């Protein structure tokens, strides 16, 4: 047990895009919010893992989540699903990497807590070992040290940065000598053989004041720009929004490059606590294959999959049957609007596909066919010239905005639940098998007054059917 009474603030960095796990991970629904195994997303597992630090005798504050403005309702909904303590959500208007994110998180607390900083999209197999390592790190961080968690390498990995340390015991902190970049294969093998080199897990434990002092020393330009963005913040509980122009002016850099790599030999104490807890950053599909249970032939499958004479494959079927015959070492990921087929050894290259999608301005890099909204979701199940068909779910007591469209009319058919429909001056209530028509240009709203989810089929018709053809007059979600 840790007898420290210093307040501990978990900081979850949830702003990543997870491009290497496309097509399951997309900009509008990145990997931290995906359920890759079990019933909970990586983000939910991170929040639950941090809340478990209570068992180490640590005094925890409510978590602080740093995320993208576009994901704000997804963050709240996923935390609500796991009954997480009400968080503070710091919303970034655009990406500026992790160092500015941590700077703003450090400014959000007046009690100078110890910050336990972790990405939202990592896997920890042994949560008891994680809690023990964090408790050890907290005790060191409370004394003014910067503490980083390091993972003992199990293979000559070229995809991670390394930390070289001196001294230390299996459950105690060691002095960090230097950080080294991702090595080539021969260098990684040498690190493994020599010992004293650990993978950089990207998890840090340090006091808020220590981080701000380190920034002032090593990156005063970043600190000053972050302070300006913080001073211009607006608050809409539980959201904190830094000033957008001021935030855009912050130099983009990672925690490692901005501060950590400059600490050894500088007089700023930096230490490493070993984390032997089955860690993975799920950086690509081959890492997902490593994590998942496998059949007798080494296949890791999820969804409706049939495999014959096939070995060591990862297959993820989202919406239909996927069949494999006589193939090995493949990644096959099926979603309703895209299919990825790659060799497991080339899984890191998926990011290049995402780059091509972005260059061609294709929507498949950004959104799934099924799009989540604060009121529920919609699934675009069919479309062609001048028509689109959507399946729409509205949560109980939720409603869409009061809106109109310039280029399309809509037909709504209720298939489950009760719909309260505002159309012009009229308000009607429809139930299962009833329908209505919303003319082009009519001000309208769809709401669910009931206690069960409302499902409707929407048929759009018109000259332009893009999601940006919407004028909102009133919206409870502040969009």
């Amino acid at each position: 047990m840790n007898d420290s009474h210093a307040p501990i603030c978990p900081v979850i960095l949830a702003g990543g895009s997870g491009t290497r796990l496309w097509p399951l991970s997309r900009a509008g629904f990145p990997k931290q919010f995906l359920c890759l195994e079990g019933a909970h997303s990586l983000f939910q597992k991170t929040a639950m893992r941090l809340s478990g630090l209570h068992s180490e005798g640590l005094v925890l504050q409510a978590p602080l989540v740093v995320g993208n403005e576009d994901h704000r309702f997804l963050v709240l909904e996923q935390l609500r699903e796991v009954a997480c303590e009400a968080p503070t959500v710091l919303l970034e208007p655009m990406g500026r990497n992790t160092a500015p994110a941590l700077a703003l998180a450090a400014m959000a607390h007046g009690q100078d807590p110890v910050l336990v900083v972790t990405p939202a999209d990592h896997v920890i197999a042994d949560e008891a070992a994680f809690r023990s390592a964090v408790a050890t790190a907290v005790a060191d961080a409370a004394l003014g040290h910067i503490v980083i968690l390091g993972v003992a390498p199990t293979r000559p990995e070229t995809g991670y940065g390394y930390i070289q340390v001196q001294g230390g015991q299996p459950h105690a902190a060691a002095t960090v000598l230097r950080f080294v970049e991702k090595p080539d294969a021969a260098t990684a093998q040498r690190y493994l053989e020599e010992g004293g080199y650990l993978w950089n897990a990207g998890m840090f434990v340090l006091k808020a004041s220590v981080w701000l002092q380190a920034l002032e020393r090593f990156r005063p330009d970043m600190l000053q720009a972050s302070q300006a963005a913080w001073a211009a913040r607006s608050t809409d509980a539980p959201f904190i929004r830094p000033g957008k122009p001021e935030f855009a002016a912050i130099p983009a850099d990672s925690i490692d490059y901005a501060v950590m790599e400059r600490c050894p030999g500088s007089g700023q104490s930096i230490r490493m606590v070993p984390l032997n807890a089955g860690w993975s950053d799920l950086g690509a599909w081959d890492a997902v294959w490593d994590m998942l249970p496998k059949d007798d032939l080494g296949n890791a499958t999820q969804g409706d999959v049939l495999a014959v004479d096939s070995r060591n494959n990862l297959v993820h079927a989202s919406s239909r049957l996927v069949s494999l015959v006589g193939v090995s070492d493949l990644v096959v990921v099926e979603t309703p609007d895209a299919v990825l087929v790659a060799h497991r050894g080339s899984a890191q290259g998926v990011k290049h596909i995402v780059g091509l999608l972005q260059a061609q301005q294709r929507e498949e890099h950004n959104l799934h066919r099924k799009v989540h909204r604060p009121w529920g979701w919609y699934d675009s199940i069919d479309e062609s010239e001048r028509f689109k068909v959507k399946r729409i779910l509205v949560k109980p007591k939720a409603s869409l905005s009061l809106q109109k469209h310039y280029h399309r009319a809509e037909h709504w058919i209720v298939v489950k639940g009760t719909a309260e429909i505002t159309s012009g001056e009229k308000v009607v209530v429809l139930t299962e098998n009833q329908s209505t028509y919303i003319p082009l240009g009519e001000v309208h709203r769809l709401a669910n007054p009931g206690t069960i989810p409302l499902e409707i089929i929407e048929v759009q018709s018109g000259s332009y059917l893009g999601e940006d053809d919407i004028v909102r007059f009133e919206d409870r979600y502040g969009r």
Side-chain angles (χ1 to χ4, degrees), residues 176-252:
V176 173
L177 296 179
R178 64 177 179 134
F179 291 79
V180 290
E181 295 294 328
K182 297 174 182 178
D184 58 27
T187 305
Q189 182 63 43
R190 177 169 61 82
Y191 290 164
L192 192 63
E193 293 169 355
E194 288 182 3
Y197 290 87
L198 294 93
W199 291 336
N200 183 350
M203 289 184 271
F204 311 96
V205 183
L206 71 174
K207 294 180 72 173
S209 60
V210 169
W211 173 252
L212 295 176
Q213 289 162 9
L215 265 189
E216 185 173 22
R217 178 177 183 182
F218 298 118
R219 289 298 305 268
D221 58 330
M222 181 181 292
L223 177 63
Q224 291 165 10
S226 299
Q227 288 171 332
W230 180 252
R233 71 190 181 278
S234 62
T235 302
D236 175 20
F239 303 124
I240 299 176
R241 292 177 171 88
K244 188 172 182 178
E246 294 83 1
F247 188 87
I250 301 176

Side-chain angles (χ1 to χ4, degrees), residues 11 13 66 96-103 105 115-119 146-148 179 200 202-206 211 214-215 218-219 222 251-263 270:
V11 177
L13 303 177
V66 184
R96 279 295 176 266
N97 215 316
T98 54
L102 182 52
L115 307 177
V116 177
V117 185
T118 175
I146 292 176
V147 186
I148 185 167
F179 291 79
N200 183 350
M203 289 184 271
F204 311 96
V205 183
L206 71 174
W211 173 252
L215 265 189
F218 298 118
R219 289 298 305 268
M222 181 181 292
D253 210 348
S254 69
I255 292 171
D256 286 317
Y257 287 156
V259 171
M260 299 300 168
E261 295 185 2
R262 303 168 188 248
C263 289
I270 182 165

Side-chain angles (χ1 to χ4, degrees), residues 334-364:
E334 176 273 333
T335 68
D337 64 344
V339 177
L340 168 72
V341 180
H343 192 276
R344 275 203 301 113
S346 302
Q348 293 280 349
V350 172
K351 64 181 179 180
H352 300 304
I353 295 292
V354 176
L356 289 174
L357 293 171
Q358 292 173 318
Q360 296 174 17
Q361 297 185 330
R362 295 186 55 150
E363 193 62 18
E364 289 93 342

Side-chain angles (χ1 to χ4, degrees), residues 374-394:
W375 44 260
W377 51 258
Y378 68 83
D379 186 357
S380 300
I381 57 181
D382 194 15
E383 65 180 295
S384 189
E385 186 178 2
R386 296 191 65 84
F387 86 89
K388 181 184 289 187
V389 182
K390 288 182 177 180
R391 182 182 168 201
I392 297 176
L393 180 140
V394 184

Side-chain angles (χ1 to χ4, degrees), residues 134-149:
V134 170
T136 299
V138 164
D140 257 29
L143 300 176
H145 304 290
I146 292 176
V147 186
I148 185 167
L149 300 185

